[in-house]
Amino acid sequence: MTGTQEPPPRLYVDGWDPSYGASFEAAGGPAAPSSAQVDATVEMPADEWRAVGVPDGLRPPDVVLLVDGVRRIDASVWTREHDGASYPGIAASYAAGVVRCDLRRGAAELAGSQVKRGLFTASPSAGDVLAGQVRYTLHRVGGTGELSKLPAAVQGPLTALEVEVSDAARTDDDLLILDGPLRNRRDLPRAIGYIKTQHSQYLDAGLTAVVTRLAPGERSPVFKLGTAWGGYSWYLRLPGTTGAPWAGIVRVECSAELSAPEAIGLADRSLVTLPRFASSPYKDPRAPQNLIPIAGLERRLRALLGDARLLHRTLTVAANRLPR
């Protein structure tokens, strides 16, 4: 036999429970190359990119606020208009909450939560629905209101609710961690978006290699994305991960309205803060990316949404009582 036989590729098993998808979009990492323009020179020249550790003497903030929201479709509905047309709709429950972590005392508490319910439809004649003691407030969507697009319409009111609950819990010099992209929450002070799952490939191969070689507790240099929701961003690797290229990698972002030094300061602050909240595989099927306070908050918020079967029955009764 001539020549050298290539060794088989390394095989890694993603630590996440398959029912939650994967922590990355495809086996090699983010699958879809992004069309966003990237400025990789925010913190250092692109040809000098290297792993960044916690600066000496940097301490985490005394107070960390973690915000998340959940949503659930309670029922699919249809309207019949006077002209014979019909429109689909969804009755949805959604909730947002904030966990306040006092790192000086080593204590965490639910600092606020709210639950709301809405009817999402393009029907021109629909109104609020009162189902027993529960009111589903009308949110009229634009266009033809295709059923497949209605779940996405819940995101706007949910984001507004997340902003509302987080505003009520702010203190001076805290750090606000929002689960997911910042979107239209970029004007919140000292706020970072925390993205657990990586779908898009923003960096070229050379810069990506720096990311996949990060050790736990290290981050990439800060870069800037030139998109509609663009801003400063960086990757970091959480502790408790295997050697798989994208295991434990999260992307963090902050507002484009900040200066480069302010963004770098937030990146350092995230690096000294986020790893202490990383979850363990024996406790969480999405470890380590699903942060411990976020996991507990999700469970609390889903309980606050109420019994889905009871709400579905109550909605059915309410609909049957409407004039036909």
Side-chain angles (χ1 to χ4, degrees):
M1 185 175 180
T2 59
T4 303
Q5 186 174 5
E6 291 281 345
R10 291 286 302 274
L11 178 66
Y12 298 95
V13 177
D14 189 20
W16 283 25
D17 185 321
S19 63
Y20 290 100
S23 58
F24 40 75
E25 182 71 6
S34 172
S35 59
Q37 292 184 339
V38 176
D39 178 5
T41 64
V42 172
E43 189 169 0
M44 63 184 68
D47 59 359
E48 297 179 12
W49 259 44
R50 54 174 174 76
V52 179
V54 177
D56 292 339
L58 182 64
R59 296 176 56 84
D62 290 336
V63 175
V64 179
L65 302 173
L66 297 99
V67 178
D68 195 14
V70 298
R71 57 186 176 179
R72 185 188 66 205
I73 298 175
D74 297 331
S76 296
V77 302
W78 289 86
T79 66
R80 184 173 59 188
E81 308 297 318
H82 297 298
D83 61 2
S86 62
Y87 292 88
I90 57 171
S93 297
Y94 53 99
V98 54
V99 175
R100 184 182 189 273
C101 297
D102 187 330
L103 301 187
R104 292 168 302 180
R105 297 189 297 116
E109 62 183 357
L110 181 66
S113 62
Q114 286 194 49
V115 178
K116 291 192 175 182
R117 309 186 199 274
L119 173 66
F120 296 81
T121 180
S123 166
S125 64
D128 293 358
V129 173
L130 187 61
Q133 301 299 312
V134 175
R135 180 179 295 275
Y136 287 82
T137 304
L138 175 66
H139 294 267
R140 187 167 284 113
V141 303
T144 57
E146 298 97 321
L147 183 60
S148 62
K149 296 181 180 179
L150 290 176
V154 185
Q155 186 59 52
L158 176 55
T159 298
L161 191 60
E162 291 175 353
V163 172
E164 185 177 342
V165 298
S166 63
D167 281 347
R170 298 306 303 266
T171 60
D172 292 340
D173 200 39
D174 59 13
L175 177 65
L176 180 66
I177 301 171
L178 296 148
D179 194 54
L182 285 178
R183 296 189 180 94
N184 55 351
R185 303 173 291 188
R186 295 180 180 275
D187 58 341
L188 297 174
R190 303 179 306 282
I192 57 175
Y194 177 81
I195 297 94
K196 293 189 288 283
T197 306
Q198 311 309 315
H199 297 286
S200 297
Q201 179 76 52
Y202 293 109
L203 305 175
D204 64 30
L207 300 183
T208 296
V210 175
V211 175
T212 56
R213 289 198 297 263
L214 292 173
E218 292 181 338
R219 67 169 177 86
S220 76
V222 175
F223 56 97
K224 194 171 187 180
L225 297 174
T227 64
W229 293 112
Y232 296 100
S233 193
W234 57 95
Y235 292 97
L236 64 83
R237 193 187 295 272
L238 296 172
T241 59
T242 66
W246 286 90
I249 295 287
V250 298
R251 186 172 67 85
V252 189
E253 60 182 26
C254 65
S255 173
E257 301 303 315
L258 300 175
S259 67
E262 288 173 328
I264 294 169
L266 272 178
D268 287 337
R269 219 174 193 199
S270 73
L271 187 58
V272 78
T273 303
L274 290 173
R276 68 177 52 229
F277 296 123
S279 52
S280 302
Y282 72 93
K283 289 184 177 180
D284 194 305
R286 288 176 288 173
Q289 288 99 317
N290 202 37
L291 303 179
I292 293 172
I294 292 293
L297 179 59
E298 285 180 345
R299 289 192 296 270
R300 180 68 178 270
L301 293 177
R302 293 193 188 282
L304 292 176
L305 292 182
D307 189 307
R309 293 173 296 178
L310 178 59
L311 286 167
H312 189 279
R313 288 198 299 269
T314 306
L315 279 163
T316 302
V317 171
N320 288 337
R321 289 175 176 171
L322 294 175
R324 297 182 180 276

